[in-house]
Amino acid sequence: MCAGMGRAGAAPRGPRGPWPCLLLALALALDVERVDCDQDPLNTIYLPATLELLDAPEHFRVQQVGHYPPANSSLGSRSETFLLLQPWPRVQPLLRASYPPFATQQVVPPRVTEPHQRPVPWDVRAVSVEAAVTPAEPHARVLFHLKGQDWPPGPGSLPCAWLHATHPAGTAHQACHFQPSLGACVVELEFPSHWFSQGSTTRAELAYTLEPAAEGPGGCGPSQEEDPREQALPVGSVELRPADPPQYQEVPLDEAVTLRVPDVPVRPGQLFSATLLLRHNFTASILTLRIKVKKGLHVTAARPVQPSLWTAKLDRFKGSKHHTTLIICHRAGNTGLDSSPPELSEFLWVDFLVENGTSGGVAVTRPVTWQLEYAGQAPEAEKDKMVWEILVSERDVRALVPLAKAEELVNTAPLTGEPRHVPIRLVTVDNGGALVEVTEHIGCESTNTQVLQVSETCDAVFVSGKESRGAQGVQVDFWWRRLRASLQMTVWAPLLPLRIELTDTTLEQVRGWRVPGPTEGMPEPEAAAEEAERRPRSCRLQYQRAGVRFLVPFAAHPLDGGRRLTHLLGPDWLLDVTHLVAPHARVQDPRVASLEGGRILVGREPGVTSIEVRSPLSDSILGEQALAVTDDKVSVLELQVQPVMGISLALSRGTAHPGEVTATCWAQSAFPAPKQEVALSLWLSFSDHTLVPAELYNQHDLGLSVSAEEPGAILPAKDQGAQLGVVVSGAGAEGLPLHVALHPPEPCRRGRHRVPLASGTAWLGLPPAPTPPPALPSSPARGPPATEASVGGKQWEAGGVGGSGVVKGKFERAEAEAREEEEEEEEEEMVPAPQRVTDLELGMYALLGIFCLAILIFLVNGVVFVLRYQRKEPPDGATDPASPQPHNWVWLGTDQEELSRQLDRQSPGLPQGEGGCPCESGGGGEALTVAQAPGGGTSSSSSTLARKEAGGRRKRVEFVTFAPAPLAELSQESVGAPAVQSILVAGEEDIRWVCEDMGLKDPEELRSYMERIRGSS
């Protein structure tokens, strides 16, 4: 639509051109005003109480975009949402709410995974070791691991994990008690034999519950759950197979022979076999096999699968370190005819024996070297050797499991420059449920180093700040001996740039508020002066202050390289990282503004600058926000005060994340008891529609006073951290009003500065019901002026106060005296400044200026248009405004007969008038003949100019003008007799060539021709 309007506005010319542009500017201005009006600055008010989490190792404050503070916040309440990323199995975290001198705290409730489940104070990871079980090994093993921070030692502090298996044939239950050393345990649940008697593969669902440990052996008593399936957390499923599938590995020795070996660890004293397989096209009659093993492993026998076809001879050779076995196989007969022989067929079994006590309880590998020789073998394969390693362990190790303290990681390293680590421990699960930690001969690798890295010792995964993205389900692989395991992690990365939120981006001077401090650029007085003159010079202007918060969303990228992101908590949630990036935040021009504690922006002098956060790793800018400090003045309109007699706190769990906790605190403001201590929460409302808590300003810059109408009703509170606090003796049935006033600090009070900047009222208890005001008389009598501040009676100077009401009548005399004193002071301390123009007024003034400019352009175009057409002089006949405009006829050519014919054709039969021809030689320099009309008036003229130079005939230009006579004269003349005026202006030479050119030599012929022309016109 804007493009169309632009084209339409460019097409017209002249004064109407700017109007489409004006309409577009009007629409844009109205749209800006509409957006500004939709933003209500009064929604940013809340109780400035402090909410903090205790005993929580890692947490963040979070907020929804455009919802800070939340909608349920008010002058007497505040809500904050926290995100706890690491569980807390050791100590339940506490959330503390405080507004000095009052404070309260509560234990954070445990998380609830499902709405119908009972909350548990432990965060447990369950890992199923077996994916399938058989009748030979009918045990399902599940490892339970406590995530999060460390836990106190002692078996009584850790819970029991109950594993529940549900099968169409029934249910089974088994428990284990967490080990304090690892914070883990393994449940080994044996399935009944009739679960395998169905003859087909079935599945059993696994779930678990956590219960407190019981006294006695094992630490776990009978399950206390009546129906554990309602409260159980899912683990997964396990497959029940009627037969045990063999576990082996096939390795080709060459193109014709393949070795099949068991793919499970062997135990000392165990006998196992390796199988050789031949292809159906193997034609050699003799095959020689050399096997070399280390001490502790023996080849006991070589047995042909079909003794009628093959025979085997075994010879042993012992060495100092190795034993060599030579097996020679001979083909005894031919194979029978088979229309479809198998690709591979077994032909030899080789038996091995592991000596006892060779591993010493630690898993070791025993290498076995294989080498083949037979006729027709490929030359390059004759010297090839294959090494197969056998894992020997005294323990029946079933699985390798990595244990991590957390399965998700928030990558704050790009913001702080400090790496983030998650510790990893590797354990093995033995038959029987035993857990053993592995620390040596470990290998590890991250599948995506752009998201997550793993340490060289495989004891931690980490992010260093150089990672480019986050991801869900990024995998880290671990291996030990022949066992492998993987760990999946979720890494949340910040989506830069940072969002820097300021409560006010334009800081202005506060009218009448000066604070102690030297003024910029003012020379120090050389000589001592009076106290009244020295004190104002040591005060400087007070500018507004603003709160600063640094926010950023965290997200995980898809592993397949797509663009769809998964946000932490949701796409409209932001994490507050102010505590992380505040040390790296600075104001670009510190002369204009400065940051106090990284959270409060203080204006210094007029100018434009920005807040920026630089990366501690690359010095690049992570976020930037522009701001301005102006010399415009604003006033403190009112003080809004909330009395606080105590703090209440309520906690609730969220549903967007298991660690989401929302805390809501509110001020208690009931009827005060005798000697009740009351803190007053103060908000300052400025004329630029901004609200800020008094906590943003330095306590020494606030001159605050509180008073009550009843003498002795309040006393100042001692030794408290609030801005202002009092001790009240009690309130009546209608409540007790406290009048609060804001002044400049005492060293800077002079003249107008002695008048309160703003005031307000806080009610302790219930305020009186409002009554309608009485009707005012129409007489011009005036009462004393009402005031907005109350300074009288018992006045107590304190750290800070504010109010939201208006106090009138009682203390008007004190303020009148202050106003008289104000008029006697010098005006230079407080030069009256115009009220700040609002955004609406600025928009209206801009529109008014645009309209005035358009009118001016229109007028200029009209004047130019008029002047352009007034440059040509009108004919003589146009002097009379009542006469019509003449018609001028112009003919260009050389044929004077053509002109005569046209004139005869236009005016046939008209009477000829009198005239003369100046074609006489020897005439003067100019000859003029004028024929007067009968009425004495001058008629319009007909002029003819022709020229001929020596050497040829030139073209001539003839002008003929016709104009009717005035109406008054026409009534006296004959009808159709025009008035003709002929003017010939020429010299002697010109008259001669004109006459010759027309072919008229005789003056009489020329005179007849001119009379004929006058008669035709």
Side-chain angles (χ1 to χ4, degrees):
M1 181 179 68
C2 296
M5 293 179 66
R7 290 192 297 267
R13 302 281 184 179
R16 292 195 304 169
W19 289 108
C21 299
L22 296 179
L23 296 177
L24 177 61
L26 177 61
L28 293 177
L30 293 179
D31 185 69
V32 170
E33 295 299 330
R34 179 185 59 80
V35 172
D36 292 342
C37 294
D38 290 343
Q39 299 177 355
D40 188 2
L42 300 181
N43 291 335
T44 61
I45 197 168
Y46 57 89
L47 179 68
T50 302
L51 295 172
E52 55 184 347
L53 271 171
L54 308 178
D55 297 327
E58 183 180 9
H59 65 276
F60 291 90
R61 299 174 188 265
V62 297
Q63 75 169 63
Q64 284 185 294
V65 178
H67 292 79
Y68 185 84
N72 58 349
S73 297
S74 63
L75 188 62
S77 64
R78 181 178 187 177
S79 292
E80 288 277 358
T81 302
F82 296 86
L83 178 64
L84 288 82
L85 295 175
Q86 292 188 1
W88 50 93
R90 181 168 186 173
V91 179
Q92 291 290 93
L94 299 176
L95 204 150
R96 176 184 175 88
S98 61
Y99 192 85
F102 309 104
T104 184
Q105 63 185 17
Q106 286 187 17
V107 176
V108 176
R111 68 171 186 170
V112 178
T113 306
E114 298 294 339
H116 65 278
Q117 292 175 348
R118 184 181 58 188
V120 292
W122 305 94
D123 191 6
V124 175
R125 177 191 175 207
V127 180
S128 181
V129 176
E130 277 87 12
V133 296
T134 61
E137 290 288 342
H139 297 88
R141 299 176 182 88
V142 177
L143 182 145
F144 296 96
H145 168 54
L146 293 176
K147 297 185 295 184
Q149 60 185 9
D150 296 333
W151 44 86
S157 60
L158 298 180
C160 288
W162 279 88
L163 180 64
H164 310 280
T166 304
H167 188 266
T171 59
H173 311 278
Q174 187 63 37
C176 71
H177 187 224
F178 285 89
Q179 301 177 14
S181 58
L182 296 174
C185 69
V186 176
V187 174
E188 193 174 66
L189 177 60
E190 182 178 0
F191 294 154
S193 59
H194 65 274
W195 287 14
F196 300 91
S197 60
Q198 298 184 6
S200 61
T201 301
T202 58
R203 306 192 71 87
E205 299 295 331
L206 304 179
Y208 74 95
T209 56
L210 297 178
E211 297 182 7
E215 299 180 358
C220 296
S223 177
Q224 301 177 2
E225 296 286 346
E226 297 180 358
D227 189 359
R229 291 176 295 181
E230 295 182 358
Q231 301 294 332
L233 301 175
V235 175
S237 61
V238 63
E239 185 176 339
L240 281 70
R241 299 175 179 174
D244 189 7
Q247 299 181 8
Y248 57 83
Q249 181 182 6
E250 292 185 355
V251 180
L253 297 179
D254 65 0
E255 296 179 356
V257 184
T258 300
L259 178 65
R260 179 184 294 169
V261 294
D263 194 20
V264 292
V266 296
R267 306 180 70 178
Q270 180 180 351
L271 183 67
F272 65 93
S273 300
T275 305
L276 269 72
L277 298 90
L278 296 179
R279 291 189 178 275
H280 67 279
N281 57 356
F282 185 80
T283 59
S285 58
I286 299 176
L287 185 146
T288 302
L289 178 64
R290 285 184 173 87
I291 304 175
K292 185 168 66 174
V293 297
K294 282 189 175 183
K295 288 184 177 181
L297 191 64
H298 300 280
V299 179
T300 59
R303 299 175 291 120
V305 176
Q306 296 180 353
S308 60
L309 299 179
W310 289 89
T311 61
K313 180 182 178 181
L314 186 146
D315 294 326
R316 301 184 181 91
F317 303 95
K318 294 183 178 180
S320 60
K321 295 183 179 180
H322 299 86
H323 300 294
T324 303
T325 301
L326 181 63
I327 302 175
I328 302 175
C329 300
H330 294 269
R331 190 187 295 271
N334 296 326
T335 58
L337 296 177
D338 192 352
S339 60
S340 59
E343 184 70 19
L344 292 173
S345 60
E346 299 180 358
F347 91 102
L348 183 66
W349 292 323
V350 181
D351 298 334
F352 293 85
L353 177 65
V354 182
E355 294 182 356
N356 292 328
T358 57
S359 61
V362 180
V364 295
T365 57
R366 300 295 185 185
V368 180
T369 305
W370 304 74
Q371 185 178 5
L372 285 175
E373 295 178 5
Y374 58 88
Q377 187 180 16
E380 62 273 7
E382 292 181 357
K383 298 182 179 180
D384 288 348
K385 298 179 181 180
M386 196 279 295
V387 179
W388 165 50
E389 291 185 347
I390 301 175
L391 181 62
V392 180
S393 176
E394 292 185 355
R395 299 183 289 110
D396 187 3
V397 180
R398 293 306 179 98
L400 177 69
V401 180
L403 306 181
K405 282 193 172 184
E407 293 180 329
E408 64 178 351
L409 177 63
V410 177
N411 187 5
T412 58
L415 307 178
T416 62
E418 300 177 358
R420 298 291 315 281
H421 296 81
V422 175
I424 302 294
R425 305 174 74 176
L426 286 176
V427 297
T428 57
V429 180
D430 295 356
N431 187 12
L435 288 176
V436 179
E437 185 176 2
V438 180
T439 57
E440 297 179 352
H441 308 290
I442 304 173
C444 55
E445 182 183 13
S446 174
T447 58
N448 194 338
T449 57
Q450 294 183 353
V451 176
L452 186 64
Q453 303 183 52
V454 61
S455 62
E456 295 182 356
T457 57
C458 302
D459 58 350
V461 292
F462 68 94
V463 288
S464 61
K466 299 180 180 180
E467 294 78 16
S468 59
R469 53 192 301 169
Q472 278 187 312
V474 60
Q475 183 172 309
V476 182
D477 296 326
F478 299 89
W479 57 86
W480 175 76
R481 304 300 183 186
R482 299 173 64 88
L483 301 177
R484 301 183 68 89
S486 61
L487 176 67
Q488 291 188 348
M489 299 281 295
T490 297
V491 179
W492 304 103
L495 298 181
L496 300 175
L498 293 172
R499 300 190 182 187
I500 304 177
E501 284 194 357
L502 303 178
T503 57
D504 190 3
T505 57
T506 302
L507 306 182
E508 298 165 322
Q509 294 182 17
V510 184
R511 181 178 288 108
W513 193 352
R514 291 178 176 266
V515 295
T519 304
E520 295 289 341
M522 179 176 292
E524 297 293 337
E526 298 180 357
E530 297 181 359
E531 182 67 18
E533 296 180 359
R534 287 202 315 266
R535 285 163 60 186
R537 292 189 179 183
S538 63
C539 295
R540 56 180 174 85
L541 297 173
Q542 173 72 293
Y543 287 89
Q544 289 178 304
R545 297 190 174 196
V548 184
R549 301 170 69 244
F550 302 92
L551 309 170
V552 65
F554 282 81
H557 299 72
L559 292 176
D560 57 0
R563 297 185 177 181
R564 186 172 183 179
L565 303 179
T566 302
H567 292 79
L568 181 61
L569 287 179
D572 57 342
W573 285 88
L574 303 174
L575 271 66
D576 189 343
V577 293
T578 304
H579 61 290
L580 299 177
V581 303
H584 311 290
R586 67 181 184 90
V587 178
Q588 192 173 10
D589 189 354
R591 297 173 302 176
V592 176
S594 63
L595 277 175
E596 290 186 358
R599 298 175 181 268
I600 300 176
L601 181 65
V602 182
R604 298 297 181 187
E605 65 179 34
V608 178
T609 183
S610 63
I611 299 178
E612 61 182 17
V613 179
R614 291 192 172 270
S615 170
L617 299 175
S618 61
D619 201 35
S620 60
I621 296 179
L622 302 179
E624 189 175 12
Q625 173 63 50
L627 63 99
V629 180
T630 67
D631 54 2
D632 297 337
K633 290 183 172 59
V634 295
S635 302
V636 185
L637 297 182
E638 63 174 348
L639 304 179
Q640 299 188 16
V641 178
Q642 172 65 41
V644 181
M645 305 178 195
I647 291 291
S648 299
L649 179 64
L651 304 180
S652 62
R653 277 286 188 173
T655 58
H657 190 276
E660 181 185 354
V661 179
T662 300
T664 302
C665 69
W666 59 91
Q668 299 177 1
S669 56
F671 286 95
K675 305 298 182 181
Q676 172 72 49
E677 191 170 4
V678 179
L680 298 177
S681 170
L682 174 65
W683 280 77
L684 283 68
S685 176
F686 291 97
S687 59
D688 61 347
H689 308 288
T690 58
L691 280 167
V692 294
E695 282 75 10
L696 291 183
Y697 291 86
N698 194 337
Q699 187 172 356
H700 301 289
D701 297 341
L702 296 171
L704 299 166
S705 62
V706 59
S707 60
E709 297 183 1
E710 299 179 8
I714 59 173
L715 295 174
K718 302 293 184 180
D719 300 332
Q720 67 171 359
Q723 291 281 16
L724 182 64
V726 295
V727 177
V728 299
S729 59
E734 296 183 355
L736 176 66
L738 298 180
H739 310 307
V740 185
L742 170 65
H743 299 264
E746 180 63 29
C748 299
R749 296 187 188 180
R750 181 187 178 190
R752 296 193 182 200
H753 302 168
R754 295 186 181 276
V755 179
L757 300 176
S759 61
T761 300
W763 284 89
L764 303 182
L766 296 178
T771 57
L776 298 177
S778 58
S779 61
R782 297 181 181 179
T787 62
E788 295 184 356
S790 169
V791 183
K794 296 273 185 171
Q795 175 177 338
W796 301 104
E797 294 293 333
V801 191
S804 59
V806 177
V807 184
K808 299 181 179 181
K810 182 176 180 180
F811 306 100
E812 293 172 355
R813 181 177 302 174
E815 184 175 351
E817 296 176 357
R819 290 184 181 274
E820 294 177 1
E821 181 182 358
E822 161 198 342
E823 296 174 356
E824 298 175 359
E825 298 293 340
E826 298 178 359
E827 292 297 325
E828 62 181 8
E829 290 297 325
M830 272 297 297
V831 178
Q835 192 77 7
R836 184 194 177 193
V837 181
T838 63
D839 295 339
L840 179 61
E841 293 173 343
L842 287 176
M844 298 304 296
Y845 291 152
L847 289 178
L848 182 59
I850 293 174
F851 282 124
C852 293
L853 180 62
I855 294 172
L856 179 61
I857 294 174
F858 182 82
L859 294 177
V860 170
N861 285 348
V863 172
V864 172
F865 180 81
V866 171
L867 293 178
R868 181 183 301 170
Y869 290 97
Q870 282 184 348
R871 291 179 181 177
K872 296 185 177 182
E873 294 294 337
D876 295 338
T879 56
D880 188 3
S883 63
Q885 294 292 334
H887 301 281
N888 298 326
W889 299 84
V890 181
W891 179 80
L892 303 177
T894 58
D895 192 352
Q896 47 94 14
E897 290 82 7
E898 180 68 18
L899 177 61
S900 300
R901 285 196 298 268
Q902 291 181 2
L903 293 176
D904 294 340
R905 190 181 306 113
Q906 292 177 358
S907 303
L910 292 178
Q912 298 181 358
E914 297 180 358
C917 179
C919 290
E920 300 175 359
S921 61
E926 292 183 356
L928 176 64
T929 301
V930 179
Q932 297 292 334
T938 304
S939 63
S940 55
S941 64
S942 173
S943 301
T944 303
L945 177 62
R947 182 169 182 173
K948 178 179 179 181
E949 295 182 356
R953 187 174 180 177
R954 297 285 183 96
K955 294 183 180 181
R956 62 181 180 274
V957 183
E958 297 183 2
F959 300 91
V960 180
T961 303
F962 303 95
L967 296 178
E969 298 177 358
L970 289 176
S971 60
Q972 301 175 6
E973 298 294 332
S974 61
V975 179
V980 180
Q981 179 182 1
S982 300
I983 301 177
L984 297 178
V985 181
E988 181 180 359
E989 297 296 333
D990 293 333
I991 295 174
R992 183 179 297 111
W993 66 257
V994 168
C995 294
E996 292 177 356
D997 184 70
M998 297 178 63
L1000 302 177
K1001 302 294 183 177
D1002 189 6
E1004 294 295 330
E1005 296 177 355
L1006 181 60
R1007 184 178 297 107
S1008 301
Y1009 174 72
M1010 294 303 298
E1011 290 176 356
R1012 187 160 57 102
I1013 291 177
R1014 287 196 297 270
S1016 300
S1017 61

